[in-house]
Amino acid sequence: MQKLEKLLERVIRRVNINLRGQDFDVGPFLSPCVPLRKLSRFYAFYGVTGRHPLHFHFSASNLAGSYFLGKCRVDGSVLYKSDIRGDELRAKGDDFHFRGIRMTLDQDEIISISDSLLVKTLVHNRSHDPENPEIFLVKNSAACPFANIHGSPLEGSFLGAFATVDLTTLHGCIVGPFAYVQAGELWHDRVEPGQIWVNQEGAFDFRYRFPAETLAEYIRVEPGRPPAGRFMEFLNARKEDFHRVFDVVHLAPIRSVPKTASLSRYAVIKPKTRIGANVLVSQRAFIENSSIGKGSNAQENCFIINSHLEGNDVTAHGAKLIHTRLAEKVFVGFNSFIHGLPDAPLVVGPGSIIMPHTIIDLKEPVSIPPNHLVWGFVSTPEDLRDHSIPLATLADSTRMTTVGTMEFTGSGARFVAAFQNRIDHILESNGAYFDGRKKRGHAQKGQNIAYNIIQPYPIGAQKGIYPTIDIQP
Amino acid sequence: MQKLEKLLERVIRRVNINLRGQDFDVGPFLSPCVPLRKLSRFYAFYGVTGRHPLHFHFSASNLAGSYFLGKCRVDGSVLYKSDIRGDELRAKGDDFHFRGIRMTLDQDEIISISDSLLVKTLVHNRSHDPENPEIFLVKNSAACPFANIHGSPLEGSFLGAFATVDLTTLHGCIVGPFAYVQAGELWHDRVEPGQIWVNQEGAFDFRYRFPAETLAEYIRVEPGRPPAGRFMEFLNARKEDFHRVFDVVHLAPIRSVPKTASLSRYAVIKPKTRIGANVLVSQRAFIENSSIGKGSNAQENCFIINSHLEGNDVTAHGAKLIHTRLAEKVFVGFNSFIHGLPDAPLVVGPGSIIMPHTIIDLKEPVSIPPNHLVWGFVSTPEDLRDHSIPLATLADSTRMTTVGTMEFTGSGARFVAAFQNRIDHILESNGAYFDGRKKRGHAQKGQNIAYNIIQPYPIGAQKGIYPTIDIQP
């Protein structure tokens, strides 16, 4: 075990050096989430599809329980139960636009993770750093369980549990638990726990912060302890269900899944579930007694239970839906926790957008009208009033709008348009609009993934370290 | 499928070109044994131990169902359900003696398989070619199901079903079904079906050939058809039992296996089986209702059913024991088929040697006395008389001895000594003599193998071809 322990220490030290200006020690937040025994016992796996550019390179790392797709390399890192999904990376020859400048990539983009420690973290999308379009870099960084690194290159940064960095380059930043940030680029900044912040320079700024006592109920983080609260209780209660899908090499495909849908064999699907055409269900998603309508998706770490998705609904990475009915084209953002009542499911009207990191946990029946934006914490109809706005009203806002403690400044029209474009882009990428010939997306491309299983050294000083492995076409 | 089909054709053509002098087409013998659909569906696996030098390199190949351990590379080949066991390769710095000349290896030995087609074939031991001690080469060659390539570099050669090449370098040779050859080096030679031939230049020569009608009952080979006969019937009847062990990633270890024994999780162990200390059971071995005494082993494709192994018994690759009781230190050679009677098990006395490729299939009760050599076909006590000799008698032979149709010439003493040394070497390599501290062998080194699973491209023109993969320490 010596080498693995040294690797962990070394990575933690490297991240701390990058955060020295903020006098922050990542060790006490990460160590309780990294079970050494499991690190040397769990396998890692990577997908070979024939449809994505292929290159994996792993060296001097532990990859226990992690999954890799597309081009990626990992060096001197510990990735525990993380998903490194390179299926939206740019390919050689792709154009890249940034503020009117067009660049053409002369090599395939690759996710490169080095000297980092990621626990149950999702890495997806592509580098949104215009300076480095060919490399989606995560370096000298650490992420706690259920963080999302989405299109966000990181250097020397730390993400707390359930934090999401979205389309944002971070240098020496600390993102608190359950904070969501989409702000282009940040240097030596700190995003407070439960802070939801969307900023586009010169265009708009959206801010909301969860009250400390609400946050504490759902996600509590203390140094030296693993994250606690309702999110963790919810997840831990369903952990066992994943054992079977990880223990078996080949699982018999589930019947009555349309040919245009793709359902990862590393997802848990429980009765009675109905899967529509063009649906994408990613590895580590969990579906129970739900109907997933045409073109909808459930990404990594999504849980959809006793719910109905009408069609073209997006359930972003880590979102959970329980007793919920989504009408057509509803967006539920990263790590949202949406829990209706058993006898009065939450109903969400068509076209509505549930912001990333929204908690809707009903005490009384609530319906979200069509085309609304919802954020923050909602448990009653009164809460909804303080945490929602019709998209049309927001689009009319040109300077400043506040609802409850949410503050919006800038162009509401651009904010709404940016969101709606993005939802369309997500649906397109996922293959929601596949017509049998064109508009193929993840749901269609991910149908024939061959899963490869790699293991660390089982004994000796190298125990837990994976051999150096290089896979090319 | 295009590329895989082309690969198969190309390999067959390459082998045929090497055998053009003998006007032999390997295609009709191999093609019926290569189910294209399974080639693109079955995974391959390799072991990482921390105790063996590590380097795997696979390119432009199909490896369906095959297993790799130790250093090996495979290029432009099809290996179907084969075992490439590099755990007896020489390591850098090892001395190599050949007729008084000592050489020191300045790099680790590697098994290199290129442009070859191996079906259910075992490759084991190390190169016995003194000209190439650092590379155990199998090139432009093809092997039919249940062939053994043991310490035998091959170039442009063909092995029929159940054939064994042992410590022999072959160039452009054809070895018939169920033939066994141990003859140093052969060029453009042909070993007839059922021929058993052990030759050490200037020392001894042992020859026996199975009568055609006996052979036909056990192993029939016709071009355009898969092998048939009792061997195949026996194996096919037990095929299903292997599905479970290959379908699951981690199998719970079987209890009451001594700490010094190693039992591959890819072996089938059925009740009631007792495993003693220092026992080695390899992948694809099958044990049922048997007792495997201290220091005994069951290698790849061995079946031990309703049998008792007293201790330090060697069951070489592919040997089958049914209703058999082996006393201490009995050797059962490659691919032997030993079948006692349910109510009168075959008893083999201590120190006896059952030659490779021996068929003992009893119609009447038979006992093999201690310290005898047995070969050929035995079903009655009369058969035994014609197919056995006391080792002491053989050791006294200095010129020529015939028993039945067996012809022995040369030094019986050297023949017996060579065999006994080898058995000791096998027991030592397998860890039979491990005392808790010293004399560690496969049984102890193979206890903590981490199995890695690799898969071919699942779709497209590359379907069935494995991506290029390189694994280093």
Side-chain angles (χ1 to χ4, degrees):
Chain A
M1 192 67 87
Q2 303 110 308
K3 212 168 162 186
L4 177 57
E5 282 164 343
K6 274 186 203 154
L7 171 63
L8 276 165
E9 272 174 35
R10 193 179 61 82
V11 171
I12 287 173
R13 262 203 310 275
R14 285 189 77 127
V15 183
N16 284 346
I17 285 173
N18 279 266
L19 294 171
R20 66 193 179 284
Q22 312 203 37
D23 194 21
F24 187 77
D25 181 3
V26 304
F29 296 96
L30 266 314
S31 302
C33 307
V34 184
L36 268 182
R37 210 172 51 85
K38 290 181 180 171
L39 287 196
S40 45
R41 235 183 57 205
F42 287 179
Y43 65 77
F45 54 125
Y46 60 88
V48 170
T49 64
R51 289 197 194 272
H52 302 100
L54 176 72
H55 186 195
F56 298 106
H57 186 92
F58 307 124
S59 78
S61 295
N62 174 284
L63 311 169
S66 292
Y67 173 59
F68 303 87
L69 181 63
K71 286 203 159 193
C72 41
R73 64 176 299 152
V74 180
D75 303 282
S77 296
V78 174
L79 272 58
Y80 178 56
K81 287 191 178 176
S82 291
D83 291 286
I84 314 302
R85 245 183 80 185
D87 57 359
E88 293 188 358
L89 297 173
R90 289 181 195 83
K92 186 176 164 175
D94 281 5
D95 281 344
F96 176 66
H97 295 268
F98 185 77
R99 298 190 184 166
I101 303 170
R102 198 192 71 179
M103 282 165 287
T104 302
L105 267 74
D106 48 30
Q107 57 190 67
D108 291 330
E109 186 180 354
I110 186 166
I111 296 175
S112 171
I113 299 173
S114 62
D115 308 300
S116 292
L117 169 49
L118 308 183
V119 181
K120 299 180 185 173
T121 295
L122 170 83
V123 180
H124 192 207
N125 201 232
R126 57 181 68 168
S127 167
H128 279 257
D129 177 3
E131 296 166 21
N132 291 297
E134 277 131 354
I135 183 159
F136 180 169
L137 187 72
V138 175
K139 193 174 161 67
N140 300 333
S141 292
C144 292
F146 305 106
N148 296 302
I149 299 172
H150 195 260
S152 299
L154 306 188
E155 268 186 286
S157 293
F158 169 80
L159 310 188
F162 296 91
T164 298
V165 196
D166 195 10
L167 315 181
T168 302
T169 308
L170 297 187
H171 310 270
C173 292
I174 296 167
V175 181
F178 205 53
Y180 172 87
V181 59
Q182 187 197 135
E185 189 156 12
L186 296 177
W187 289 266
H188 301 284
D189 213 330
R190 191 186 272 250
V191 183
E192 295 302 328
Q195 175 71 56
I196 312 303
W197 182 31
V198 185
N199 176 284
Q200 195 174 304
E201 213 188 317
F204 51 74
D205 187 271
F206 173 105
R207 283 169 202 250
Y208 169 83
R209 189 167 171 198
F210 279 88
E213 61 278 16
T214 308
L215 204 61
E217 189 186 338
Y218 291 90
I219 173 70
R220 280 191 305 282
V221 171
E222 288 169 49
R225 295 194 178 182
R230 283 203 52 200
F231 289 171
M232 291 310 298
E233 286 156 21
F234 176 87
L235 291 167
N236 289 336
R238 284 154 187 88
K239 234 171 150 174
E240 286 296 316
D241 283 312
F242 282 94
H243 285 184
R244 194 182 77 96
V245 296
F246 280 92
D247 278 353
V248 175
V249 179
H250 289 293
L251 272 182
I254 289 173
R255 285 181 204 186
S256 77
V257 172
K259 282 188 189 159
T260 57
S262 113
L263 199 153
S264 169
R265 49 83 76 235
Y266 288 100
V268 170
I269 310 294
K270 304 190 81 169
K272 295 180 169 180
T273 288
R274 201 184 62 75
I275 304 279
N278 296 352
V279 160
L280 170 70
V281 178
S282 296
Q283 74 286 352
R284 285 189 250 266
F286 178 108
I287 320 258
E288 182 174 2
N289 190 34
S290 294
S291 159
I292 315 292
K294 182 178 175 188
S296 298
N297 68 57
Q299 298 281 9
E300 288 83 355
N301 301 312
C302 279
F303 289 72
I304 300 181
I305 301 170
N306 303 327
S307 291
H308 175 90
L309 280 62
E310 188 59 33
N312 292 328
D313 297 303
V314 175
T315 322
H317 310 279
K320 289 146 202 94
L321 303 175
I322 307 102
H323 300 303
T324 297
R325 297 184 67 87
L326 305 185
E328 183 91 6
K329 213 167 178 178
V330 169
F331 175 84
V332 181
F334 294 100
N335 282 353
S336 286
F337 184 81
I338 312 299
H339 202 311
L341 296 166
D343 44 1
L346 174 79
V347 176
V348 185
S352 280
I353 295 171
I354 296 179
M355 287 286 287
H357 292 220
T358 296
I359 301 175
I360 303 181
D361 193 7
L362 298 189
K363 284 184 196 141
E364 299 169 26
V366 166
S367 280
I368 295 171
N371 300 309
H372 271 57
L373 185 79
V374 187
W375 62 87
F377 179 74
V378 175
S379 74
T380 62
E382 293 71 48
D383 289 337
L384 183 63
R385 245 191 342 256
D386 283 350
H387 297 89
S388 68
I389 187 171
L391 288 170
T393 310
L394 181 60
D396 284 343
S397 166
T398 50
R399 297 192 53 200
M400 182 150 181
T401 301
T402 61
V403 179
T405 59
M406 184 279 281
E407 290 184 3
F408 182 85
T409 52
S411 163
R414 288 181 67 179
F415 178 87
V416 171
F419 243 110
Q420 285 173 335
N421 285 342
R422 185 161 176 197
I423 295 167
D424 264 334
H425 163 76
I426 292 171
L427 288 168
E428 208 178 293
S429 302
N430 288 342
Y433 301 143
F434 179 60
D435 62 3
R437 286 179 53 243
K438 286 196 299 276
K439 300 192 175 171
R440 198 179 283 276
H442 301 319
Q444 293 80 37
K445 290 184 193 172
Q447 286 179 331
N448 287 289
I449 298 183
Y451 292 98
N452 297 256
I453 291 179
I454 53 177
Q455 304 246 26
Y457 285 105
I459 48 165
Q462 298 252 67
K463 183 173 174 179
I465 301 292
Y466 281 62
T468 304
I469 181 164
D470 188 84
I471 297 139
Q472 311 244 11
Chain B
M1 193 66 87
Q2 302 110 308
K3 211 168 163 189
L4 177 57
E5 282 165 343
K6 274 186 202 154
L7 171 62
L8 276 166
E9 273 173 35
R10 193 179 61 83
V11 172
I12 288 173
R13 262 203 310 275
R14 285 189 76 127
V15 183
N16 284 346
I17 285 173
N18 279 267
L19 295 172
R20 66 193 179 285
Q22 312 203 36
D23 194 21
F24 187 77
D25 181 3
V26 304
F29 296 96
L30 266 314
S31 302
C33 307
V34 184
L36 267 182
R37 210 171 51 85
K38 291 182 180 170
L39 287 196
S40 45
R41 234 184 57 205
F42 287 179
Y43 65 76
F45 55 125
Y46 60 89
V48 170
T49 64
R51 289 196 194 273
H52 302 99
L54 176 72
H55 185 195
F56 298 106
H57 185 92
F58 307 124
S59 78
S61 295
N62 173 283
L63 312 168
S66 292
Y67 172 59
F68 303 87
L69 180 63
K71 287 203 158 191
C72 41
R73 64 176 298 153
V74 180
D75 303 281
S77 296
V78 174
L79 272 58
Y80 177 57
K81 288 192 177 176
S82 291
D83 290 287
I84 314 302
R85 245 183 80 185
D87 56 359
E88 293 187 358
L89 297 173
R90 289 181 196 83
K92 186 176 164 175
D94 281 4
D95 281 344
F96 176 66
H97 295 268
F98 185 76
R99 298 190 184 166
I101 303 170
R102 198 192 72 179
M103 283 165 286
T104 302
L105 268 74
D106 48 30
Q107 57 190 66
D108 291 330
E109 186 180 355
I110 186 166
I111 296 175
S112 170
I113 299 173
S114 62
D115 307 301
S116 292
L117 168 49
L118 308 183
V119 181
K120 300 180 185 173
T121 295
L122 170 84
V123 180
H124 192 207
N125 201 232
R126 57 182 66 168
S127 167
H128 279 257
D129 177 3
E131 297 166 21
N132 291 297
E134 277 131 355
I135 182 160
F136 181 169
L137 187 72
V138 175
K139 193 174 161 67
N140 299 333
S141 293
C144 292
F146 305 106
N148 296 301
I149 299 172
H150 195 261
S152 300
L154 306 188
E155 269 187 285
S157 293
F158 169 80
L159 309 187
F162 296 91
T164 298
V165 196
D166 195 10
L167 315 181
T168 303
T169 307
L170 297 187
H171 310 270
C173 292
I174 296 167
V175 181
F178 204 53
Y180 171 88
V181 59
Q182 187 198 135
E185 189 156 11
L186 297 177
W187 289 266
H188 301 284
D189 213 331
R190 190 186 273 250
V191 183
E192 295 302 327
Q195 175 71 55
I196 312 303
W197 182 31
V198 185
N199 176 284
Q200 194 174 306
E201 213 189 318
F204 50 75
D205 187 271
F206 174 105
R207 283 169 202 250
Y208 169 83
R209 189 167 173 199
F210 279 88
E213 62 278 16
T214 308
L215 204 61
E217 189 186 337
Y218 291 90
I219 172 70
R220 280 191 305 281
V221 170
E222 289 169 50
R225 295 194 178 182
R230 284 204 51 199
F231 289 171
M232 291 309 299
E233 286 156 22
F234 176 87
L235 292 167
N236 289 335
R238 285 155 186 88
K239 234 170 150 174
E240 286 295 316
D241 284 311
F242 282 94
H243 286 184
R244 193 181 79 96
V245 296
F246 279 91
D247 277 353
V248 174
V249 179
H250 290 293
L251 272 182
I254 289 173
R255 285 181 204 185
S256 77
V257 171
K259 281 188 189 160
T260 58
S262 113
L263 199 153
S264 169
R265 49 82 77 237
Y266 287 100
V268 169
I269 310 294
K270 305 189 82 170
K272 295 179 168 179
T273 288
R274 201 184 61 74
I275 304 279
N278 296 352
V279 160
L280 169 70
V281 179
S282 296
Q283 74 286 353
R284 284 189 250 266
F286 178 108
I287 320 258
E288 181 174 3
N289 190 34
S290 294
S291 159
I292 315 293
K294 182 177 175 190
S296 298
N297 68 57
Q299 297 281 8
E300 288 83 355
N301 301 312
C302 279
F303 289 72
I304 300 181
I305 301 170
N306 303 328
S307 292
H308 175 89
L309 281 62
E310 188 60 32
N312 292 329
D313 297 302
V314 175
T315 322
H317 310 278
K320 289 145 203 96
L321 302 175
I322 307 101
H323 299 303
T324 297
R325 297 185 67 86
L326 304 185
E328 183 91 6
K329 214 168 178 177
V330 169
F331 175 84
V332 181
F334 295 100
N335 282 353
S336 286
F337 183 82
I338 312 299
H339 202 310
L341 296 165
D343 44 1
L346 174 79
V347 175
V348 185
S352 280
I353 295 172
I354 296 179
M355 288 286 288
H357 292 220
T358 297
I359 301 175
I360 303 181
D361 193 7
L362 298 189
K363 283 185 196 140
E364 299 169 26
V366 167
S367 280
I368 296 171
N371 300 308
H372 271 58
L373 184 79
V374 187
W375 62 87
F377 179 74
V378 175
S379 73
T380 63
E382 293 70 48
D383 289 337
L384 182 63
R385 243 187 348 253
D386 283 351
H387 297 89
S388 68
I389 187 171
L391 288 169
T393 310
L394 181 60
D396 285 342
S397 166
T398 50
R399 297 191 53 200
M400 183 151 181
T401 301
T402 59
V403 179
T405 59
M406 184 279 281
E407 290 184 3
F408 182 85
T409 52
S411 164
R414 288 181 67 179
F415 178 87
V416 171
F419 243 110
Q420 285 173 336
N421 286 342
R422 185 159 177 199
I423 294 167
D424 263 333
H425 162 77
I426 292 171
L427 287 168
E428 209 179 293
S429 302
N430 288 341
Y433 301 143
F434 179 61
D435 63 3
R437 287 179 52 243
K438 286 195 300 277
K439 300 193 175 170
R440 199 178 282 277
H442 301 320
Q444 294 79 38
K445 291 184 193 171
Q447 285 179 331
N448 287 289
I449 298 183
Y451 293 98
N452 297 256
I453 291 180
I454 52 176
Q455 304 246 27
Y457 285 105
I459 48 164
Q462 298 252 67
K463 183 173 174 178
I465 301 293
Y466 282 62
T468 304
I469 181 164
D470 189 84
I471 297 139
Q472 311 244 10

